């Protein structure tokens, strides 16, 4: 993932990104989450390409993923929960700024607030 980022290869970066997200979801053992992620993955993938990240957002995302991997390897459940909630909020903010999610969308806002609690 880091090598793809350093080369500026967004396609390869997104492949690694998707694989990381899928591994985290599968590793949760939460059947409902696995099913939800599978059903939303096509929409998520489209938004990744349509909602192009700025260079600073991409750098932030790379740092997020490295921290997430580090904390997963350390098996620090409390820290991973906090990091994933922050990552989710940041992605929601990006989608709002890109115009793909309306900040007034009660379902989306409710979901992010619930996950952030």
């Amino acid at each position: 993932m880091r090598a793809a980022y350093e080369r500026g290869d967004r396609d390869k970066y997104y492949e690694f990104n998707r694989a990381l997200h899928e591994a985290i979801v599968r590793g949760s053992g939460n059947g409902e989450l696995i099913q939800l992620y599978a059903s939303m993955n096509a929409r998520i993938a489209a938004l990744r390409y349509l909602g192009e990240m700025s260079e600073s957002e991409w750098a932030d995302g790379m740092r997020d993923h490295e921290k997430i991997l580090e904390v997963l390897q350390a098996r620090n459940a409390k820290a991973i929960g906090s990091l994933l909630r922050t990552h989710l909020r940041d992605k929601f903010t990006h989608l709002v700024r890109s115009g793909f999610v309306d900040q007034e969308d009660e379902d989306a806002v409710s979901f992010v607030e619930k996950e952030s609690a």
Side-chain angles (χ1 to χ4, degrees):
M1 183 180 242
R2 165 61 67 184
Y5 169 76
E6 289 176 354
R7 286 191 314 270
D9 185 344
R10 289 184 188 241
D11 289 336
K12 189 55 96 173
Y13 174 85
Y14 285 134
E15 282 181 38
F16 286 115
N17 183 44
R18 187 188 75 244
L20 174 60
H21 287 208
E22 288 175 357
I24 290 170
V25 169
R26 279 192 316 272
S28 74
N30 181 330
E32 191 172 322
L33 177 62
I34 293 166
Q35 188 174 27
L36 175 64
Y37 182 81
S39 71
M40 294 186 65
N41 197 37
R43 287 178 34 193
I44 291 168
L47 292 175
R48 283 189 183 122
Y49 288 99
L50 294 173
E52 190 77 20
M53 288 185 289
S54 70
E55 291 300 319
S56 66
E57 288 171 324
W58 195 12
D60 291 345
M62 186 66 237
R63 278 190 300 277
D64 285 356
H65 289 114
E66 288 177 330
K67 285 181 199 170
I68 289 166
L69 284 170
E70 181 182 313
V71 171
L72 280 171
Q73 289 171 338
R75 299 181 179 271
N76 185 336
K78 185 175 181 179
I80 193 63
S82 176
L83 282 172
L84 291 174
R85 283 187 291 279
T86 299
H87 188 64
L88 179 63
R89 277 194 313 269
D90 291 348
K91 294 305 131 193
F92 177 74
T93 299
H94 171 71
L95 292 174
V96 168
R97 267 200 317 271
S98 299
F100 293 105
V101 174
D102 183 351
Q103 194 164 12
E104 303 302 315
D105 181 334
E106 291 180 19
D107 290 336
V109 171
S110 173
F111 175 75
V112 170
E113 288 175 350
K114 176 182 165 197
E115 293 303 308
S116 298

